[in-house]
């Protein structure tokens, strides 16, 4: 029961974590916690620290719910010792926020991160390295929510702090450049993204050297933007550089090595190299199952990538098999209300719809709607998109009243999200008009088809298939109204 033994075990646990040996890391951190509780009692800062270390090890294994429970225990201990306004609690709030983010619980993540930020600003003022770290985490959540203006603002604040405190050439500035790059990419500015990501790479290779894990991350980031630009050869070259570094530093059997092999596989799939893509994903899967076990979010991601590769190769049976494996893991580990779980449901529904299994597609779309509505609310692009797909399937199944209900919700959400003159809204109007026509609600059907036609004629060429379809649908509905 020597606290120094616990400290040594904790350090060994961190070493195991760095090697990707998460089971050993968890074992060591739990042993350290047991020793500290026995030697120091339950209400001690080092005991709280051990709970945080156990939480991190659990999260590495994909056990986020258990991880957040350990963090909350640490927070209770800290509050009993320090009160609820001490800056030492900020790191715990920040960790809780990160786990909520990994679980797809963005609102809860922001609540915890803003608590951390408030404590830090009260203790340190507006400029401190830890404040920059918290601003970065908030920026990541904002980006996940699609609020790219706020995401960019937070990343630029973090960058400004880091540049002023550490200098423009410090490796931590590269963190901000990296996240700014991805915000720019999401806005469609891939050239701007490459500029800032290459700046991050330049800083890290100059200060840390090329053969450093953080430098490898930069090569991976640059490669991902090149892939977005469809510069596939360039992307593969960047991934090759990254893989060489990671094999050298982490070894062949490490999650970081598997991560970049998966990235290469996805690019090969987009290039049409199906055999090379599947080979890469199978290699990554073998590594991950050996290191983190078969029931881990990273394993689910790999099954998803294999499913996507089989979809591109028009093998819907194998695609469905792999996406179903991804869904099973995500449902068990992440829960049914998680963005990745919802995404799997949507993909599976699409494949089932294409295969003609409309009852199966309906069920999967409804699962996705339940998840998305719980995560984001009704008036969110993800919820609206899935409602529109469900409405389309219900229309094919001739369940017109149910289809109308879903499509009205989708149209209303898209009006609020994109405006009444947007092509996304026109898509909802057109499908809603078709469903109303089937129910012989001709006046309303004509109105929605004419709205869709007006939007499409204004934004698309005259002979565009959508303009032609809307023109024909509006005319047909007018005839139906006149006959009625």
């Amino acid at each position: 029961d020597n606290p120094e033994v616990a400290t040594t075990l904790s350090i060994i646990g961190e070493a195991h974590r760095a090697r990707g040996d998460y089971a050993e890391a968890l074992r060591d951190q739990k042993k350290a916690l047991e020793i500290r509780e026995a030697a120091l009692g339950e209400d001690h800062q080092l005991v709280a620290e051990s709970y945080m270390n156990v939480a991190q090890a659990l999260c590495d294994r994909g056990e986020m719910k258990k991880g957040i429970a350990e963090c909350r225990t640490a927070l209770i201990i800290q509050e009993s010792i320090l009160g609820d306004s001490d800056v030492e609690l900020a790191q715990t709030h920040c960790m809780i926020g990160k786990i909520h983010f990994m679980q797809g619980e963005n609102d809860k993540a922001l609540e915890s991160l803003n608590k951390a930020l408030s404590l830090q600003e009260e203790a340190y003022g507006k400029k401190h390295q830890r404040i920059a770290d918290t601003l970065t985490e908030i920026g990541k959540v904002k980006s996940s929510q699609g609020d790219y203006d706020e995401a960019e603002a937070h990343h630029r604040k973090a960058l400004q702090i880091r540049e002023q405190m550490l200098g423009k050439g410090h490796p931590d500035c590269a963190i901000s450049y990296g996240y700014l790059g991805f915000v720019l990419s999401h806005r469609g500015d891939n050239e701007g993204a490459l500029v800032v990501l290459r700046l991050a790479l330049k800083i890290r290779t100059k200060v840390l050297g090329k053969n450093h894990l953080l430098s490898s991350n930069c090569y991976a980031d640059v490669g991902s933007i090149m892939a977005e630009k469809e510069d596939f050869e360039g992307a593969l070259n960047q991934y090759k550089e990254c893989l060489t570094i990671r094999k050298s530093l982490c070894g062949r059997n490490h999650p970081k090595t598997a991560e970049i092999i998966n990235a290469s596989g996805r690019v090969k799939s987009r290039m049409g190299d199906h055999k090379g893509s599947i080979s890469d994903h199978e290699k990554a899967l073998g590594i991950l199952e050996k290191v983190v076990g078969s029931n881990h979010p990273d394993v689910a991601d790999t099954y998803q990538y294999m499913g996507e590769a089989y979809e591109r190769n028009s093998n819907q049976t194998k695609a469905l098999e792999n996406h179903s494996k991804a869904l099973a893991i995500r449902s068990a580990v992440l829960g049914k209300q998680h963005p990745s779980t919802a995404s799997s449901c949507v993909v599976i529904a699409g494949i089932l719809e294409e295969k003609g299994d409309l009852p199966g597609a309906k069920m999967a779309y409804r699962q996705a709607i339940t998840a998305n509505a719980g995560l984001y609310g009704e008036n969110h692009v993800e919820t609206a998109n899935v409602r529109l797909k469900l409405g389309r399937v219900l229309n094919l199944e001739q369940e017109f009243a149910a289809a109308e209900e879903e499509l009205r919700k989708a149209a209303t959400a898209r009006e609020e999200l994109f405006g009444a003159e947007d092509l996304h809204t026109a898509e909802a109007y057109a499908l809603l008009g078709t469903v109303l026509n089937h129910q012989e609600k001709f006046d309303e059907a004509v109105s929605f088809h004419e709205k869709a036609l007006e939007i499409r004629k204004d934004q698309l060429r005259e002979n565009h298939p959508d303009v032609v379809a809307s023109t024909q649908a509006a005319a047909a509905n007018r005839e139906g109204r006149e006959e009625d």
Side-chain angles (χ1 to χ4, degrees), residues 69-107:
E70 299 295 307
C71 283
R72 294 199 184 283
T73 301
L75 186 62
I76 290 168
I77 294 169
Q78 289 174 323
E79 286 178 340
S80 71
I81 299 168
L82 304 169
D84 60 5
S85 59
D86 193 281
V87 72
E88 289 298 317
L89 276 64
Q91 290 302 100
T92 309
H93 284 301
C94 200
M95 180 69 173
I96 290 170
K98 288 179 184 180
I99 299 173
H100 279 307
F101 177 54
M102 288 188 284
Q103 291 181 298
E105 298 167 344
N106 289 333
D107 289 341

Side-chain angles (χ1 to χ4, degrees), residues 295-343:
N295 209 36
H296 190 278
D298 290 353
V299 174
D301 291 345
T302 306
Y303 279 125
Q304 174 195 321
Y305 304 150
M306 282 201 280
E308 290 168 353
Y310 281 116
E311 280 184 87
R312 285 198 177 93
N313 202 42
S314 301
N315 188 336
Q316 299 292 62
T317 301
K318 292 291 286 184
L320 183 59
E321 177 187 325
N322 282 279
H323 283 301
S324 296
K325 287 179 180 178
L327 175 60
I329 295 169
R330 287 167 172 169
S331 296
V333 177
L334 302 174
K336 291 184 178 180
Q337 278 205 346
H338 188 279
S340 296
T341 308
S343 175

